[in-house]
Amino acid sequence: MSIQDWIKNEVESNDVVLFMKGTPNFPQCGFSGQVVQILDYLGVPYKGINVLEDADLRQGIKDYASWPTIPQLYIKGEFVGGCDIVREMFQNQELQTVFAEKGVTTG
């Protein structure tokens, strides 16, 4: 299985996936940590995938979304964005709306 196939499988088989540096319990960068805090605050169940464990994955996720930075948040198979976008959406209540529209329970 190619790294692209593996990423596609993870994104499509989990409602919410965060590709991040580190783990939800121990983020390895401030941007990943901010997205974890937002998801935890909202009470959203999600799968955190540590890109630091695999160089192919770290580059592969950037190629998958054509997005140069990590973290990357996916909801129901759809790429949402990185830290700045997620934070802005959260502050504007847009992120909560996306979760509601896609049937992902929060709180």
Side-chain angles (χ1 to χ4, degrees), residues 1-105:
M1 179 182 282
S2 76
I3 194 68
Q4 294 299 313
D5 290 338
W6 187 86
I7 291 168
K8 185 177 193 289
N9 181 61
E10 288 297 316
V11 165
E12 291 178 353
S13 60
N14 294 285
D15 284 351
V16 183
V17 183
L18 177 63
F19 289 89
M20 61 181 293
K21 293 179 181 175
T23 64
N25 290 333
F26 193 67
Q28 297 285 302
C29 85
F31 298 115
S32 292
Q34 286 181 41
V35 177
V36 165
Q37 285 181 328
I38 289 168
L39 294 176
D40 288 349
Y41 176 82
L42 292 175
V44 174
Y46 64 96
K47 181 172 186 176
I49 298 176
N50 184 0
V51 300
L52 298 178
E53 292 178 346
D54 185 332
D56 290 339
L57 174 58
R58 189 172 181 175
Q59 184 56 49
I61 192 60
K62 293 175 184 181
D63 297 338
Y64 183 82
S66 299
W67 190 260
T69 59
I70 295 161
Q72 292 184 14
L73 181 65
Y74 292 81
I75 302 172
K76 295 278 187 164
E78 186 178 320
F79 175 61
V80 176
C83 180
D84 291 346
I85 292 170
V86 170
R87 186 175 55 230
E88 189 175 302
M89 288 176 70
F90 169 70
Q91 290 168 341
N92 297 335
Q93 302 289 313
E94 292 172 53
L95 188 61
Q96 296 86 322
T97 301
V98 170
F99 283 126
E101 287 172 350
K102 298 212 177 257
V104 176
T105 17

